[in-house]
Amino acid sequence: MKILVCISKTPDTTAKIAFTDNNTKFAEAGVQWIINPYDEWYALVRAIELKEADTATTIHIISVGSADVEPIIRKALALGGDEAIRVNANPADSYFVAAQIAEVARQDAYDLIFTGKETIDYNNGAVGGMLAEMLDLPYIALATNFKMNGGNVTVKREIEGGEETVEVALPVVVSCQKGMAEARIPNMRGIMAARTKPLKVVEPVPVESLTKIAAFGLPPAKAGVKLVSADNVEELVRLLHEEARVI
Amino acid sequence: MSILIFIDHIDGHIKKASLEAISYGVAIAAQSGDTAEGIVLGSPEDLAGLGKYGLKKIHQVQSDHLKSFDSQVYTKVLGQVVEQTRATTIIFSNNAIGKSIAPRLAVRLKAGLISGAVALPDTSDGFLVKKNVFSGKAFANVSVTSAIKVVLLNLNAYAIKETGGIAEVVPFNATVETPKITVTGSTKTSGKVSLAEADVVVSAGRGLKGPENWQMVENLASELDAALACSRPVADAHWRPHTEHVGQTGVAIAPNLYIAVGISGAIQHLAGVNRSKVIVVINKDAEAPFFKAADYGIVGDAFEIVPKMVEAVKKMKGK
């Protein structure tokens, strides 16, 4: 089986969020970059588990970005990816990224394509669905559990107010979230092996992006907390009812 | 030209998120002088009643092939509806079904997608929509450059408006393919209120010391008709199902009221909840960072405060 895992570079979850250039650019100074947690903890680790269960599996990692995404690609290889492809382009928007990945995916016969449910920076959650449409494949979004079942897969996905179990034949695109797998740390052997694993750089196909970020902004700061004594819980309930009017 | 709103339903009921999407779509139509039309796949109750939110027409597609949700099948049907109605903007709720279909439809229509819109588009010069980024720590104004636009509207981001009226429900004859995805079972998470849609959310963290102590927060949630949530360590320790995990890598929510019990308020947790209108923090540690992001707080022992709060809410409701 051949699995393609799509990963993105995002700021670390504790990174300070600020903007430069008249609020048109994310302030990258001093920011630690990581593999988008959904891509790493759930999509990639689940793919690695599938490979451990069936050693005939190969895992390809793909990321769209300039050379500065290579450290996170190497980390994905250290965790257990076999080969990697970097599309050498600025990831302009979800449509552009999906089109680049689709182009690469068409040149190989992938049984399974995993993405994270969304990136923690732009929170679009769109690449998986777009990719599935471009490749004319079924798409299971927001998966929390994934099992191979012969040539079929059994997947649990989030629905409104619960979860649903679905079955589908391969190939399929799946977006992954919590529940799929448990986060791992790469070991020294993996890190050493990753240095020599193939990382192919391909040039992008011409695609026009359909959206553009005009400006960023930060939400207004809170006015400050109103503390109520622990002996006077009724006062808190009164405030919520009469002042805040939320209950 | 028209604004097309995807109306979602579960177990025959139309959810609050769809009413928000309808109100949002109707407002866009009013801005641009277009008409707002609904599209429903399947047969929920009381479609004509949706007219009171300003919809004049609802297209309805019925087929046994729509019973198992397969985004590929749904997208092809929606593509036909968009073509016939000549819709220029298509609105979805940013919930599980919307997230599954909207990106596909955007590709099919070669339309720019706004995922997670929190305000009406500014159409004075193009099509500019405010959306959340960095898991709610910031927002971005995103412009769409394509002729057709697809918008995923965040839950609890736009108020439902009743304008009065009756909608005409029109059958739409679409080609519906056989789904490739088969649904074999479903489970509902505890509590009746879905977390993402809930107006009030009661959440608890490691301060509760163990899963056996959840009864009191469940009681509080039940008194307030609230959904239950938890912090990441609690979900990681399997004290509570991961579907209740709110935060940067869990569910992002924007209720009117968020009550956090025994949660210190790590930056990753705040990212998922900081769009809540009012935040109440109950923590025994006065230095807990969550107090800085809170509107109301009590420093003290949750095991004493929460049961008292349940009683106080009962008393308040009795008045």
Side-chain angles (χ1 to χ4, degrees):
Chain A
M1 190 170 65
K2 241 176 161 171
I3 310 176
L4 183 65
V5 179
C6 311
I7 66 169
S8 256
K9 182 190 85 163
T10 60
D12 176 53
T13 55
T14 57
K16 183 174 159 44
I17 305 304
F19 304 101
T20 61
D21 293 25
N22 208 13
N23 283 332
T24 58
K25 274 201 183 111
F26 174 63
E28 299 193 354
V31 168
Q32 290 270 7
W33 297 95
I34 58 169
I35 307 175
N36 177 46
Y38 293 108
D39 305 346
E40 177 188 336
W41 302 348
Y42 309 124
L44 177 58
V45 176
R46 189 70 192 106
I48 294 166
E49 290 172 350
L50 293 172
K51 184 184 162 85
E52 286 165 351
D54 171 16
T55 48
T57 301
T58 50
I59 301 171
H60 287 184
I61 309 289
I62 187 164
S63 192
V64 178
S66 53
D68 59 10
V69 303
E70 292 198 359
I72 66 128
I73 295 179
R74 288 286 173 204
K75 186 184 176 195
L77 292 171
L79 278 161
D82 294 301
E83 292 178 29
I85 302 133
R86 175 171 74 81
V87 181
N88 187 30
N90 170 39
D93 72 348
S94 305
Y95 182 80
F96 177 89
V97 170
Q100 299 306 331
I101 297 173
E103 181 64 22
V104 171
R106 278 186 202 108
Q107 293 161 26
D108 220 326
Y110 293 105
D111 302 289
L112 197 53
I113 301 178
F114 276 165
T115 70
K117 79 157 184 177
E118 63 183 47
T119 58
I120 61 166
D121 48 10
Y122 297 111
N123 307 117
N124 286 323
V127 168
M130 289 182 167
L131 189 55
E133 186 65 22
M134 289 165 182
L135 298 172
D136 199 20
L137 290 178
Y139 173 53
I140 300 172
L142 310 173
T144 59
N145 187 285
F146 180 97
K147 286 195 178 76
M148 294 300 301
N149 182 1
N152 286 0
V153 295
T154 304
V155 186
K156 266 191 194 160
R157 68 180 174 194
E158 179 190 322
I159 52 168
E160 292 325 293
E163 286 185 333
E164 197 170 67
T165 307
V166 299
E167 274 193 33
V168 68
L170 296 173
V172 62
V173 181
V174 179
S175 88
C176 307
Q177 62 170 336
K178 193 156 190 149
M180 282 289 274
E182 302 280 342
R184 292 184 180 189
I185 302 166
N187 58 30
M188 190 46 78
R189 213 173 115 228
I191 295 167
M192 298 301 286
R195 291 184 184 169
T196 53
K197 285 180 178 172
L199 195 171
K200 191 167 76 180
V201 179
V202 300
E203 289 308 313
V205 285
V207 174
E208 222 174 294
S209 62
L210 303 173
T211 60
K212 189 176 182 300
I213 293 180
F216 290 101
L218 293 170
K222 285 263 180 187
V225 63
K226 193 179 256 187
L227 286 176
V228 176
S229 156
D231 303 324
N232 200 359
V233 177
E234 283 191 18
E235 171 64 5
L236 173 68
V237 173
R238 187 194 69 80
L239 286 168
L240 293 177
H241 183 59
E242 292 176 11
E243 185 179 86
R245 295 171 182 275
V246 286
I247 60 174
Chain B
M1 292 207 291
S2 70
I3 311 293
L4 192 66
I5 301 130
F6 179 77
I7 300 164
D8 183 15
H9 53 96
I10 188 159
D11 301 334
H13 300 291
I14 292 157
K15 304 278 282 189
K16 184 182 128 198
S18 281
L19 303 183
E20 291 170 353
I22 292 169
S23 299
Y24 182 83
V26 166
I28 295 179
Q31 267 182 7
S32 58
D34 295 323
T35 53
E37 300 179 9
I39 168 67
V40 67
L41 276 55
S43 352
E45 295 165 357
D46 195 24
L47 276 180
L50 293 178
K52 72 175 175 210
Y53 304 102
L55 277 185
K56 297 279 180 283
K57 192 190 256 188
I58 298 172
H59 305 274
Q60 183 177 31
V61 183
Q62 286 176 299
S63 162
D64 283 346
H65 290 164
L66 297 169
K67 285 182 178 152
S68 272
F69 170 59
D70 184 331
S71 60
Q72 209 171 6
V73 176
Y74 274 51
T75 302
K76 284 180 185 166
V77 170
L78 289 175
Q80 297 167 52
V81 180
V82 171
E83 194 177 340
Q84 195 182 310
T85 56
R86 295 171 60 221
T88 48
T89 306
I90 303 98
I91 315 291
F92 292 86
S93 302
N94 197 14
N95 59 11
I97 193 165
K99 286 175 207 264
S100 305
I101 314 172
R104 295 199 81 123
L105 186 66
V107 167
R108 202 165 186 84
L109 303 172
K110 210 163 185 280
L113 173 72
I114 300 288
S115 173
V118 294
L120 284 174
D122 174 354
T123 50
S124 58
D125 179 23
F127 194 91
L128 197 67
V129 187
K130 186 174 171 181
K131 80 172 284 278
N132 284 310
V133 289
F134 296 98
S135 310
K137 290 178 211 164
F139 61 85
N141 290 319
V142 184
S143 71
V144 184
T145 48
S146 54
I148 302 179
K149 287 96 178 163
V150 177
V151 180
L152 275 159
L153 174 68
N154 259 8
L155 277 60
N156 288 342
Y158 194 79
I160 297 166
K161 285 191 190 75
E162 290 193 24
T163 54
I166 291 177
E168 179 197 1
V169 181
V170 204
F172 186 98
N173 273 325
T175 310
V176 188
E177 290 184 356
T178 310
K180 291 180 192 150
I181 292 176
T182 319
V183 176
T184 57
S186 68
T187 51
K188 295 273 149 64
T189 40
S190 65
K192 286 162 288 192
V193 197
S194 110
L195 179 56
E197 273 194 336
D199 287 325
V200 180
V201 174
V202 176
S203 185
R206 261 185 304 195
L208 258 61
K209 298 193 170 73
E212 66 281 6
N213 295 328
W214 243 258
Q215 189 60 49
M216 61 178 192
V217 287
E218 285 176 13
N219 292 346
L220 181 59
S222 152
E223 277 308 316
L224 293 169
D225 283 326
L228 277 172
C230 68
S231 64
R232 180 167 167 220
V234 164
D236 281 353
H238 302 292
W239 293 2
R240 299 296 304 175
H242 57 79
T243 46
E244 287 182 9
H245 163 204
V246 291
Q248 186 154 28
T249 53
V251 183
I253 55 172
N256 285 328
L257 174 61
Y258 182 72
I259 301 176
V261 182
I263 300 176
S264 62
I267 188 168
Q268 295 93 337
H269 185 78
L270 296 181
V273 304
N274 62 6
R275 289 183 294 118
S276 309
K277 288 183 188 78
V278 173
I279 294 178
V280 174
V281 170
I282 297 168
N283 204 299
K284 67 176 175 0
D285 176 10
E287 301 297 311
F290 216 153
F291 283 113
K292 290 201 176 72
D295 299 280
Y296 299 96
I298 297 186
V299 179
D301 183 359
F303 292 94
E304 286 173 21
I305 293 163
V306 175
K308 278 188 194 166
M309 205 170 161
V310 173
E311 290 312 309
V313 172
K314 276 187 187 161
K315 203 170 142 193
M316 184 270 292
K317 288 198 329 199
K319 272 181 198 166

